[in-house]
Amino acid sequence: MKKANFLLTMIIYVFCAQAHAGLLFNYSQLALKDLDQMNKLVNDKVKESKKSSSGKVVPLKEALQAVYSRPNDDDMIDKIVAPLRSNLDELESWEKTISQLTDEAINALKNPRAFKPVVQTTYVIFLENLLAEVKPYIKSEGFERQIVERVRDAKIEVSKEAVNERKLRTMKSTASPSEIAEKILSQSTKPAETTPAADEKSSETSAENTSSGQ
């Protein structure tokens, strides 16, 4: 009987941990924070990281997740992310941290039953903001493009509960991050597709000029 109660307690504990995930704040709470409050959050986590003898990345990771999980209608990310980027770069952990947070968001959205709608929506906004931030850097076959491809290949389907949650609180519709990633990648390949034709036309013009003695 004691063993059964222990197992039940552990199941409830795991479920609750999953339901709230590892987020410092959900998107709705973050939306209420102004620039000063978000700067304080970032600076506090940077200080926590510097004081830590081990696990220096953890506070920075938590703050980075919060920064990207806040609705970015006011373009605040660019104003507050720099200290996190520089400190993670010093620890050689920027790409690893972004990768881990991306996987966390994808896994949560692929398993919506384990997470509350407000948590699901927070992860959707995280991925939306991340995709917007890396979009200018995906033309080369680098880390940023790999992140976008990972989100695309996840084939995320946002739950009705999460869609309704966001619509109720913000009056905004929600598209799948995978669809957004697919659109970004298709747009980035268009110039590459037209280049060969342009080169061929240029070659033909050059040949004509040569033959006419120009």
PDB file of all heavy atoms in Angstrom, residues 151-187:
ATOM      1  N   VAL A 151      13.007  23.087 -36.554  1.00  0.00           N
ATOM      2  CA  VAL A 151      11.622  23.470 -36.233  1.00  0.00           C
ATOM      3  C   VAL A 151      10.684  23.045 -37.364  1.00  0.00           C
ATOM      4  O   VAL A 151       9.600  22.530 -37.115  1.00  0.00           O
ATOM      5  CB  VAL A 151      11.521  24.992 -35.999  1.00  0.00           C
ATOM      6  CG1 VAL A 151      10.069  25.399 -35.755  1.00  0.00           C
ATOM      7  CG2 VAL A 151      12.386  25.398 -34.802  1.00  0.00           C
ATOM      8  N   ARG A 152      11.123  23.237 -38.597  1.00  0.00           N
ATOM      9  CA  ARG A 152      10.304  22.815 -39.741  1.00  0.00           C
ATOM     10  C   ARG A 152      10.055  21.313 -39.726  1.00  0.00           C
ATOM     11  O   ARG A 152       8.921  20.850 -39.881  1.00  0.00           O
ATOM     12  CB  ARG A 152      11.002  23.201 -41.048  1.00  0.00           C
ATOM     13  CG  ARG A 152      10.269  22.744 -42.304  1.00  0.00           C
ATOM     14  CD  ARG A 152      11.192  22.704 -43.501  1.00  0.00           C
ATOM     15  NE  ARG A 152      12.297  21.755 -43.301  1.00  0.00           N
ATOM     16  CZ  ARG A 152      13.332  21.627 -44.124  1.00  0.00           C
ATOM     17  NH1 ARG A 152      13.432  22.404 -45.189  1.00  0.00           N
ATOM     18  NH2 ARG A 152      14.292  20.734 -43.878  1.00  0.00           N
ATOM     19  N   ASP A 153      11.113  20.554 -39.516  1.00  0.00           N
ATOM     20  CA  ASP A 153      11.019  19.093 -39.577  1.00  0.00           C
ATOM     21  C   ASP A 153      10.244  18.493 -38.409  1.00  0.00           C
ATOM     22  O   ASP A 153       9.834  17.334 -38.464  1.00  0.00           O
ATOM     23  CB  ASP A 153      12.421  18.481 -39.633  1.00  0.00           C
ATOM     24  CG  ASP A 153      13.175  18.860 -40.901  1.00  0.00           C
ATOM     25  OD1 ASP A 153      12.515  19.301 -41.864  1.00  0.00           O
ATOM     26  OD2 ASP A 153      14.418  18.729 -40.923  1.00  0.00           O
ATOM     27  N   ALA A 154      10.021  19.293 -37.349  1.00  0.00           N
ATOM     28  CA  ALA A 154       9.277  18.787 -36.185  1.00  0.00           C
ATOM     29  C   ALA A 154       7.793  18.604 -36.490  1.00  0.00           C
ATOM     30  O   ALA A 154       7.099  17.882 -35.773  1.00  0.00           O
ATOM     31  CB  ALA A 154       9.455  19.736 -35.004  1.00  0.00           C
ATOM     32  N   LYS A 155       7.313  19.266 -37.548  1.00  0.00           N
ATOM     33  CA  LYS A 155       5.897  19.156 -37.945  1.00  0.00           C
ATOM     34  C   LYS A 155       4.972  19.432 -36.755  1.00  0.00           C
ATOM     35  O   LYS A 155       4.067  18.649 -36.450  1.00  0.00           O
ATOM     36  CB  LYS A 155       5.613  17.753 -38.511  1.00  0.00           C
ATOM     37  CG  LYS A 155       6.511  17.327 -39.653  1.00  0.00           C
ATOM     38  CD  LYS A 155       6.312  18.183 -40.887  1.00  0.00           C
ATOM     39  CE  LYS A 155       7.159  17.686 -42.065  1.00  0.00           C
ATOM     40  NZ  LYS A 155       7.078  18.593 -43.230  1.00  0.00           N
ATOM     41  N   ILE A 156       5.189  20.534 -36.108  1.00  0.00           N
ATOM     42  CA  ILE A 156       4.406  20.897 -34.919  1.00  0.00           C
ATOM     43  C   ILE A 156       2.969  21.241 -35.301  1.00  0.00           C
ATOM     44  O   ILE A 156       2.737  21.984 -36.257  1.00  0.00           O
ATOM     45  CB  ILE A 156       5.046  22.102 -34.204  1.00  0.00           C
ATOM     46  CG1 ILE A 156       6.441  21.735 -33.682  1.00  0.00           C
ATOM     47  CG2 ILE A 156       4.165  22.610 -33.067  1.00  0.00           C
ATOM     48  CD1 ILE A 156       7.256  22.927 -33.250  1.00  0.00           C
ATOM     49  N   GLU A 157       2.051  20.708 -34.556  1.00  0.00           N
ATOM     50  CA  GLU A 157       0.642  21.066 -34.688  1.00  0.00           C
ATOM     51  C   GLU A 157       0.201  21.684 -33.367  1.00  0.00           C
ATOM     52  O   GLU A 157       0.148  21.008 -32.349  1.00  0.00           O
ATOM     53  CB  GLU A 157      -0.208  19.837 -35.013  1.00  0.00           C
ATOM     54  CG  GLU A 157       0.096  19.223 -36.379  1.00  0.00           C
ATOM     55  CD  GLU A 157      -0.814  18.038 -36.691  1.00  0.00           C
ATOM     56  OE1 GLU A 157      -1.791  17.823 -35.932  1.00  0.00           O
ATOM     57  OE2 GLU A 157      -0.540  17.333 -37.676  1.00  0.00           O
ATOM     58  N   VAL A 158      -0.086  22.960 -33.383  1.00  0.00           N
ATOM     59  CA  VAL A 158      -0.477  23.656 -32.158  1.00  0.00           C
ATOM     60  C   VAL A 158      -1.872  23.198 -31.743  1.00  0.00           C
ATOM     61  O   VAL A 158      -2.785  23.145 -32.568  1.00  0.00           O
ATOM     62  CB  VAL A 158      -0.467  25.180 -32.357  1.00  0.00           C
ATOM     63  CG1 VAL A 158      -0.815  25.895 -31.057  1.00  0.00           C
ATOM     64  CG2 VAL A 158       0.899  25.633 -32.865  1.00  0.00           C
ATOM     65  N   SER A 159      -2.029  22.847 -30.485  1.00  0.00           N
ATOM     66  CA  SER A 159      -3.318  22.334 -29.999  1.00  0.00           C
ATOM     67  C   SER A 159      -4.396  23.413 -30.030  1.00  0.00           C
ATOM     68  O   SER A 159      -4.100  24.621 -29.964  1.00  0.00           O
ATOM     69  CB  SER A 159      -3.167  21.802 -28.572  1.00  0.00           C
ATOM     70  OG  SER A 159      -2.988  22.874 -27.661  1.00  0.00           O
ATOM     71  N   LYS A 160      -5.644  22.984 -30.106  1.00  0.00           N
ATOM     72  CA  LYS A 160      -6.766  23.923 -30.097  1.00  0.00           C
ATOM     73  C   LYS A 160      -6.793  24.713 -28.795  1.00  0.00           C
ATOM     74  O   LYS A 160      -7.144  25.894 -28.780  1.00  0.00           O
ATOM     75  CB  LYS A 160      -8.079  23.159 -30.275  1.00  0.00           C
ATOM     76  CG  LYS A 160      -8.271  22.558 -31.662  1.00  0.00           C
ATOM     77  CD  LYS A 160      -9.606  21.846 -31.768  1.00  0.00           C
ATOM     78  CE  LYS A 160      -9.806  21.251 -33.160  1.00  0.00           C
ATOM     79  NZ  LYS A 160     -11.110  20.517 -33.255  1.00  0.00           N
ATOM     80  N   GLU A 161      -6.413  24.037 -27.712  1.00  0.00           N
ATOM     81  CA  GLU A 161      -6.401  24.696 -26.404  1.00  0.00           C
ATOM     82  C   GLU A 161      -5.417  25.872 -26.390  1.00  0.00           C
ATOM     83  O   GLU A 161      -5.721  26.942 -25.851  1.00  0.00           O
ATOM     84  CB  GLU A 161      -6.040  23.700 -25.310  1.00  0.00           C
ATOM     85  CG  GLU A 161      -7.089  22.635 -25.039  1.00  0.00           C
ATOM     86  CD  GLU A 161      -7.088  21.512 -26.059  1.00  0.00           C
ATOM     87  OE1 GLU A 161      -6.140  21.447 -26.882  1.00  0.00           O
ATOM     88  OE2 GLU A 161      -8.022  20.691 -26.034  1.00  0.00           O
ATOM     89  N   ALA A 162      -4.233  25.659 -26.993  1.00  0.00           N
ATOM     90  CA  ALA A 162      -3.230  26.729 -27.041  1.00  0.00           C
ATOM     91  C   ALA A 162      -3.680  27.862 -27.961  1.00  0.00           C
ATOM     92  O   ALA A 162      -3.481  29.043 -27.650  1.00  0.00           O
ATOM     93  CB  ALA A 162      -1.892  26.167 -27.503  1.00  0.00           C
ATOM     94  N   VAL A 163      -4.285  27.500 -29.079  1.00  0.00           N
ATOM     95  CA  VAL A 163      -4.795  28.510 -30.011  1.00  0.00           C
ATOM     96  C   VAL A 163      -5.844  29.376 -29.326  1.00  0.00           C
ATOM     97  O   VAL A 163      -5.833  30.607 -29.427  1.00  0.00           O
ATOM     98  CB  VAL A 163      -5.386  27.847 -31.272  1.00  0.00           C
ATOM     99  CG1 VAL A 163      -6.123  28.875 -32.124  1.00  0.00           C
ATOM    100  CG2 VAL A 163      -4.292  27.178 -32.089  1.00  0.00           C
ATOM    101  N   ASN A 164      -6.754  28.723 -28.620  1.00  0.00           N
ATOM    102  CA  ASN A 164      -7.818  29.446 -27.920  1.00  0.00           C
ATOM    103  C   ASN A 164      -7.268  30.299 -26.776  1.00  0.00           C
ATOM    104  O   ASN A 164      -7.754  31.398 -26.519  1.00  0.00           O
ATOM    105  CB  ASN A 164      -8.861  28.470 -27.390  1.00  0.00           C
ATOM    106  CG  ASN A 164      -9.649  27.799 -28.491  1.00  0.00           C
ATOM    107  OD1 ASN A 164      -9.753  28.341 -29.600  1.00  0.00           O
ATOM    108  ND2 ASN A 164     -10.201  26.630 -28.219  1.00  0.00           N
ATOM    109  N   GLU A 165      -6.264  29.762 -26.091  1.00  0.00           N
ATOM    110  CA  GLU A 165      -5.631  30.489 -24.988  1.00  0.00           C
ATOM    111  C   GLU A 165      -5.075  31.820 -25.483  1.00  0.00           C
ATOM    112  O   GLU A 165      -5.319  32.877 -24.881  1.00  0.00           O
ATOM    113  CB  GLU A 165      -4.505  29.632 -24.407  1.00  0.00           C
ATOM    114  CG  GLU A 165      -3.360  30.367 -23.733  1.00  0.00           C
ATOM    115  CD  GLU A 165      -3.708  30.962 -22.389  1.00  0.00           C
ATOM    116  OE1 GLU A 165      -4.631  30.431 -21.732  1.00  0.00           O
ATOM    117  OE2 GLU A 165      -3.077  31.952 -22.003  1.00  0.00           O
ATOM    118  N   ARG A 166      -4.353  31.775 -26.564  1.00  0.00           N
ATOM    119  CA  ARG A 166      -3.734  32.999 -27.086  1.00  0.00           C
ATOM    120  C   ARG A 166      -4.771  33.966 -27.659  1.00  0.00           C
ATOM    121  O   ARG A 166      -4.668  35.177 -27.477  1.00  0.00           O
ATOM    122  CB  ARG A 166      -2.711  32.635 -28.154  1.00  0.00           C
ATOM    123  CG  ARG A 166      -1.845  33.822 -28.570  1.00  0.00           C
ATOM    124  CD  ARG A 166      -0.808  33.375 -29.569  1.00  0.00           C
ATOM    125  NE  ARG A 166       0.194  34.394 -29.806  1.00  0.00           N
ATOM    126  CZ  ARG A 166       1.184  34.241 -30.675  1.00  0.00           C
ATOM    127  NH1 ARG A 166       1.310  33.106 -31.347  1.00  0.00           N
ATOM    128  NH2 ARG A 166       2.058  35.211 -30.863  1.00  0.00           N
ATOM    129  N   LYS A 167      -5.746  33.407 -28.330  1.00  0.00           N
ATOM    130  CA  LYS A 167      -6.788  34.255 -28.929  1.00  0.00           C
ATOM    131  C   LYS A 167      -7.588  34.970 -27.849  1.00  0.00           C
ATOM    132  O   LYS A 167      -7.953  36.137 -27.989  1.00  0.00           O
ATOM    133  CB  LYS A 167      -7.713  33.409 -29.803  1.00  0.00           C
ATOM    134  CG  LYS A 167      -8.622  34.218 -30.701  1.00  0.00           C
ATOM    135  CD  LYS A 167      -9.329  33.324 -31.702  1.00  0.00           C
ATOM    136  CE  LYS A 167     -10.141  34.151 -32.683  1.00  0.00           C
ATOM    137  NZ  LYS A 167     -10.835  33.309 -33.689  1.00  0.00           N
ATOM    138  N   LEU A 168      -7.837  34.262 -26.748  1.00  0.00           N
ATOM    139  CA  LEU A 168      -8.608  34.833 -25.649  1.00  0.00           C
ATOM    140  C   LEU A 168      -7.853  35.966 -24.971  1.00  0.00           C
ATOM    141  O   LEU A 168      -8.425  37.008 -24.646  1.00  0.00           O
ATOM    142  CB  LEU A 168      -8.946  33.741 -24.629  1.00  0.00           C
ATOM    143  CG  LEU A 168      -9.754  34.170 -23.399  1.00  0.00           C
ATOM    144  CD1 LEU A 168     -11.141  34.644 -23.811  1.00  0.00           C
ATOM    145  CD2 LEU A 168      -9.863  33.013 -22.409  1.00  0.00           C
ATOM    146  N   ARG A 169      -6.539  35.777 -24.761  1.00  0.00           N
ATOM    147  CA  ARG A 169      -5.749  36.761 -24.021  1.00  0.00           C
ATOM    148  C   ARG A 169      -5.225  37.898 -24.882  1.00  0.00           C
ATOM    149  O   ARG A 169      -5.080  39.023 -24.409  1.00  0.00           O
ATOM    150  CB  ARG A 169      -4.562  36.071 -23.333  1.00  0.00           C
ATOM    151  CG  ARG A 169      -4.928  35.160 -22.175  1.00  0.00           C
ATOM    152  CD  ARG A 169      -3.672  34.562 -21.576  1.00  0.00           C
ATOM    153  NE  ARG A 169      -3.941  33.563 -20.564  1.00  0.00           N
ATOM    154  CZ  ARG A 169      -3.933  33.798 -19.254  1.00  0.00           C
ATOM    155  NH1 ARG A 169      -3.685  35.024 -18.817  1.00  0.00           N
ATOM    156  NH2 ARG A 169      -4.164  32.823 -18.395  1.00  0.00           N
ATOM    157  N   THR A 170      -4.905  37.600 -26.145  1.00  0.00           N
ATOM    158  CA  THR A 170      -4.244  38.608 -26.972  1.00  0.00           C
ATOM    159  C   THR A 170      -4.989  38.929 -28.263  1.00  0.00           C
ATOM    160  O   THR A 170      -4.558  39.816 -29.010  1.00  0.00           O
ATOM    161  CB  THR A 170      -2.822  38.147 -27.351  1.00  0.00           C
ATOM    162  OG1 THR A 170      -2.906  37.010 -28.222  1.00  0.00           O
ATOM    163  CG2 THR A 170      -2.022  37.766 -26.116  1.00  0.00           C
ATOM    164  N   MET A 171      -6.046  38.197 -28.545  1.00  0.00           N
ATOM    165  CA  MET A 171      -6.818  38.380 -29.781  1.00  0.00           C
ATOM    166  C   MET A 171      -5.952  38.110 -31.023  1.00  0.00           C
ATOM    167  O   MET A 171      -6.184  38.676 -32.092  1.00  0.00           O
ATOM    168  CB  MET A 171      -7.395  39.803 -29.850  1.00  0.00           C
ATOM    169  CG  MET A 171      -8.300  40.157 -28.692  1.00  0.00           C
ATOM    170  SD  MET A 171      -9.749  39.058 -28.584  1.00  0.00           S
ATOM    171  CE  MET A 171     -10.650  39.538 -30.052  1.00  0.00           C
ATOM    172  N   LYS A 172      -4.960  37.256 -30.877  1.00  0.00           N
ATOM    173  CA  LYS A 172      -4.094  36.918 -31.998  1.00  0.00           C
ATOM    174  C   LYS A 172      -4.273  35.461 -32.404  1.00  0.00           C
ATOM    175  O   LYS A 172      -4.458  34.590 -31.557  1.00  0.00           O
ATOM    176  CB  LYS A 172      -2.622  37.166 -31.640  1.00  0.00           C
ATOM    177  CG  LYS A 172      -2.249  38.626 -31.551  1.00  0.00           C
ATOM    178  CD  LYS A 172      -0.752  38.784 -31.365  1.00  0.00           C
ATOM    179  CE  LYS A 172      -0.366  40.251 -31.354  1.00  0.00           C
ATOM    180  NZ  LYS A 172       1.102  40.432 -31.208  1.00  0.00           N
ATOM    181  N   SER A 173      -4.198  35.216 -33.703  1.00  0.00           N
ATOM    182  CA  SER A 173      -4.248  33.847 -34.192  1.00  0.00           C
ATOM    183  C   SER A 173      -2.866  33.220 -34.054  1.00  0.00           C
ATOM    184  O   SER A 173      -1.868  33.922 -33.872  1.00  0.00           O
ATOM    185  CB  SER A 173      -4.704  33.813 -35.652  1.00  0.00           C
ATOM    186  OG  SER A 173      -3.834  34.587 -36.455  1.00  0.00           O
ATOM    187  N   THR A 174      -2.798  31.916 -34.161  1.00  0.00           N
ATOM    188  CA  THR A 174      -1.535  31.202 -33.969  1.00  0.00           C
ATOM    189  C   THR A 174      -1.292  30.226 -35.110  1.00  0.00           C
ATOM    190  O   THR A 174      -2.135  29.363 -35.379  1.00  0.00           O
ATOM    191  CB  THR A 174      -1.537  30.431 -32.640  1.00  0.00           C
ATOM    192  OG1 THR A 174      -1.745  31.341 -31.557  1.00  0.00           O
ATOM    193  CG2 THR A 174      -0.209  29.716 -32.427  1.00  0.00           C
ATOM    194  N   ALA A 175      -0.172  30.377 -35.770  1.00  0.00           N
ATOM    195  CA  ALA A 175       0.242  29.441 -36.809  1.00  0.00           C
ATOM    196  C   ALA A 175       1.268  28.477 -36.231  1.00  0.00           C
ATOM    197  O   ALA A 175       1.931  28.785 -35.236  1.00  0.00           O
ATOM    198  CB  ALA A 175       0.842  30.189 -37.993  1.00  0.00           C
ATOM    199  N   SER A 176       1.401  27.325 -36.847  1.00  0.00           N
ATOM    200  CA  SER A 176       2.403  26.367 -36.399  1.00  0.00           C
ATOM    201  C   SER A 176       3.801  26.933 -36.628  1.00  0.00           C
ATOM    202  O   SER A 176       4.102  27.430 -37.718  1.00  0.00           O
ATOM    203  CB  SER A 176       2.257  25.049 -37.167  1.00  0.00           C
ATOM    204  OG  SER A 176       3.416  24.248 -37.009  1.00  0.00           O
ATOM    205  N   PRO A 177       4.671  26.860 -35.624  1.00  0.00           N
ATOM    206  CA  PRO A 177       6.062  27.292 -35.834  1.00  0.00           C
ATOM    207  C   PRO A 177       6.729  26.547 -36.989  1.00  0.00           C
ATOM    208  O   PRO A 177       7.606  27.106 -37.660  1.00  0.00           O
ATOM    209  CB  PRO A 177       6.729  26.968 -34.490  1.00  0.00           C
ATOM    210  CG  PRO A 177       5.610  27.065 -33.499  1.00  0.00           C
ATOM    211  CD  PRO A 177       4.418  26.503 -34.216  1.00  0.00           C
ATOM    212  N   SER A 178       6.320  25.305 -37.211  1.00  0.00           N
ATOM    213  CA  SER A 178       6.888  24.532 -38.321  1.00  0.00           C
ATOM    214  C   SER A 178       6.516  25.148 -39.665  1.00  0.00           C
ATOM    215  O   SER A 178       7.321  25.178 -40.600  1.00  0.00           O
ATOM    216  CB  SER A 178       6.401  23.079 -38.264  1.00  0.00           C
ATOM    217  OG  SER A 178       6.902  22.428 -37.116  1.00  0.00           O
ATOM    218  N   GLU A 179       5.285  25.653 -39.763  1.00  0.00           N
ATOM    219  CA  GLU A 179       4.852  26.312 -40.995  1.00  0.00           C
ATOM    220  C   GLU A 179       5.606  27.626 -41.198  1.00  0.00           C
ATOM    221  O   GLU A 179       5.972  27.970 -42.326  1.00  0.00           O
ATOM    222  CB  GLU A 179       3.344  26.569 -40.942  1.00  0.00           C
ATOM    223  CG  GLU A 179       2.505  25.300 -40.973  1.00  0.00           C
ATOM    224  CD  GLU A 179       1.025  25.582 -40.814  1.00  0.00           C
ATOM    225  OE1 GLU A 179       0.639  26.775 -40.731  1.00  0.00           O
ATOM    226  OE2 GLU A 179       0.242  24.623 -40.774  1.00  0.00           O
ATOM    227  N   ILE A 180       5.827  28.353 -40.113  1.00  0.00           N
ATOM    228  CA  ILE A 180       6.596  29.597 -40.195  1.00  0.00           C
ATOM    229  C   ILE A 180       8.019  29.298 -40.664  1.00  0.00           C
ATOM    230  O   ILE A 180       8.570  29.993 -41.528  1.00  0.00           O
ATOM    231  CB  ILE A 180       6.622  30.302 -38.824  1.00  0.00           C
ATOM    232  CG1 ILE A 180       5.206  30.719 -38.412  1.00  0.00           C
ATOM    233  CG2 ILE A 180       7.546  31.526 -38.865  1.00  0.00           C
ATOM    234  CD1 ILE A 180       5.111  31.259 -37.003  1.00  0.00           C
ATOM    235  N   ALA A 181       8.618  28.245 -40.095  1.00  0.00           N
ATOM    236  CA  ALA A 181       9.976  27.854 -40.472  1.00  0.00           C
ATOM    237  C   ALA A 181      10.042  27.447 -41.938  1.00  0.00           C
ATOM    238  O   ALA A 181      10.992  27.813 -42.652  1.00  0.00           O
ATOM    239  CB  ALA A 181      10.455  26.711 -39.578  1.00  0.00           C
ATOM    240  N   GLU A 182       9.041  26.726 -42.403  1.00  0.00           N
ATOM    241  CA  GLU A 182       8.982  26.298 -43.799  1.00  0.00           C
ATOM    242  C   GLU A 182       8.927  27.507 -44.729  1.00  0.00           C
ATOM    243  O   GLU A 182       9.622  27.560 -45.754  1.00  0.00           O
ATOM    244  CB  GLU A 182       7.750  25.422 -44.016  1.00  0.00           C
ATOM    245  CG  GLU A 182       7.480  25.040 -45.471  1.00  0.00           C
ATOM    246  CD  GLU A 182       8.557  24.162 -46.058  1.00  0.00           C
ATOM    247  OE1 GLU A 182       9.073  23.297 -45.325  1.00  0.00           O
ATOM    248  OE2 GLU A 182       8.893  24.333 -47.251  1.00  0.00           O
ATOM    249  N   LYS A 183       8.145  28.499 -44.370  1.00  0.00           N
ATOM    250  CA  LYS A 183       8.021  29.707 -45.186  1.00  0.00           C
ATOM    251  C   LYS A 183       9.345  30.471 -45.221  1.00  0.00           C
ATOM    252  O   LYS A 183       9.757  30.968 -46.281  1.00  0.00           O
ATOM    253  CB  LYS A 183       6.916  30.596 -44.628  1.00  0.00           C
ATOM    254  CG  LYS A 183       6.610  31.827 -45.482  1.00  0.00           C
ATOM    255  CD  LYS A 183       5.454  32.627 -44.910  1.00  0.00           C
ATOM    256  CE  LYS A 183       4.153  31.845 -44.997  1.00  0.00           C
ATOM    257  NZ  LYS A 183       2.986  32.690 -44.580  1.00  0.00           N
ATOM    258  N   ILE A 184      10.002  30.565 -44.075  1.00  0.00           N
ATOM    259  CA  ILE A 184      11.297  31.266 -44.015  1.00  0.00           C
ATOM    260  C   ILE A 184      12.315  30.581 -44.915  1.00  0.00           C
ATOM    261  O   ILE A 184      13.049  31.235 -45.666  1.00  0.00           O
ATOM    262  CB  ILE A 184      11.817  31.307 -42.564  1.00  0.00           C
ATOM    263  CG1 ILE A 184      10.958  32.253 -41.715  1.00  0.00           C
ATOM    264  CG2 ILE A 184      13.284  31.754 -42.521  1.00  0.00           C
ATOM    265  CD1 ILE A 184      11.288  32.217 -40.231  1.00  0.00           C
ATOM    266  N   LEU A 185      12.355  29.269 -44.864  1.00  0.00           N
ATOM    267  CA  LEU A 185      13.323  28.517 -45.666  1.00  0.00           C
ATOM    268  C   LEU A 185      13.010  28.613 -47.155  1.00  0.00           C
ATOM    269  O   LEU A 185      13.924  28.727 -47.981  1.00  0.00           O
ATOM    270  CB  LEU A 185      13.340  27.047 -45.224  1.00  0.00           C
ATOM    271  CG  LEU A 185      13.965  26.803 -43.848  1.00  0.00           C
ATOM    272  CD1 LEU A 185      13.643  25.392 -43.352  1.00  0.00           C
ATOM    273  CD2 LEU A 185      15.472  27.013 -43.889  1.00  0.00           C
ATOM    274  N   SER A 186      11.740  28.578 -47.521  1.00  0.00           N
ATOM    275  CA  SER A 186      11.369  28.680 -48.932  1.00  0.00           C
ATOM    276  C   SER A 186      11.704  30.055 -49.482  1.00  0.00           C
ATOM    277  O   SER A 186      12.142  30.190 -50.628  1.00  0.00           O
ATOM    278  CB  SER A 186       9.877  28.384 -49.115  1.00  0.00           C
ATOM    279  OG  SER A 186       9.078  29.363 -48.461  1.00  0.00           O
ATOM    280  N   GLN A 187      11.525  31.080 -48.666  1.00  0.00           N
ATOM    281  CA  GLN A 187      11.869  32.442 -49.093  1.00  0.00           C
ATOM    282  C   GLN A 187      13.372  32.617 -49.258  1.00  0.00           C
ATOM    283  O   GLN A 187      13.834  33.331 -50.138  1.00  0.00           O
ATOM    284  CB  GLN A 187      11.335  33.463 -48.085  1.00  0.00           C
ATOM    285  CG  GLN A 187       9.817  33.588 -48.085  1.00  0.00           C
ATOM    286  CD  GLN A 187       9.301  34.467 -46.954  1.00  0.00           C
ATOM    287  OE1 GLN A 187      10.031  34.786 -46.018  1.00  0.00           O
ATOM    288  NE2 GLN A 187       8.041  34.850 -47.035  1.00  0.00           N
TER     289      GLN A 187
END
